[in-house]
Amino acid sequence: MTNQTTLIPTDDVSAKVSRFRVVIYLCGAPNANLSAEQDRCHGYAEAFGWEIAAEIEDRDRLNKPEGRTGLAQALERIKRREAGVLLTPWRSMISPVPQEFDEVARKVESAGGFLQVMDSDGARATAAR
């Protein structure tokens, strides 16, 4: 009995497998430089093989999540199935208030996606001590 291996041409496989798409969401003060956070998000997405569908920055961090236009745009992209994940570096970029953060996570999940936080703010603060 001989073993036979059938090779599938790479083009056929890549045509059937689509990459996971992500919306990067950053939020900061009007004059804040978010380039380091943006670079980290790019690296994170690349490490998982995720395609970046959009990058959205909000510059009105003092507003509650439901009052931010960029966060609403990110959620809309999830609803339209342009992406399956909303990626942010820290929980506080969504909200430092646990109930507000949880509400945004529920909205993302209800839209068919998930909210991915790279680092929890608590872990970052603990590591900095």
Side-chain angles (χ1 to χ4, degrees):
M1 187 183 235
T2 58
N3 289 336
Q4 292 184 345
T5 303
T6 305
L7 297 176
I8 300 171
T10 312
D11 293 339
D12 292 344
V13 173
S14 62
K16 294 178 183 175
V17 177
S18 61
R19 292 180 65 191
F20 197 71
R21 296 177 52 96
V22 58
V23 173
I24 294 174
Y25 177 75
L26 303 170
C27 186
N31 296 327
N33 181 352
L34 299 175
S35 62
E37 288 83 359
Q38 182 182 33
D39 290 346
R40 288 184 61 231
C41 286
H42 277 259
Y44 192 91
E46 185 178 306
F48 286 97
W50 294 347
E51 179 180 345
I52 298 169
E55 295 178 45
I56 299 175
E57 286 186 18
D58 258 330
R59 295 303 183 147
D60 49 0
R61 189 173 188 160
L62 296 178
N63 284 343
K64 291 185 176 265
E66 65 269 6
R68 295 191 211 140
T69 56
L71 190 54
Q73 291 170 1
L75 184 58
E76 187 59 33
R77 288 183 180 262
I78 301 290
K79 286 179 184 175
R80 291 192 313 238
R81 305 283 193 248
E82 294 174 17
V85 64
L86 186 125
L87 174 64
T88 192
W90 307 312
R91 287 178 64 98
S92 64
M93 285 201 174
I94 301 297
S95 178
V97 179
Q99 295 84 358
E100 291 176 353
F101 176 88
D102 292 344
E103 180 61 26
V104 171
R106 277 191 293 277
K107 287 179 181 179
V108 172
E109 290 170 7
S110 293
F114 68 91
L115 176 58
Q116 179 68 35
V117 177
M118 292 171 43
D119 296 322
S120 71
D121 295 312
R124 187 169 42 90
T126 302
R129 287 185 197 161

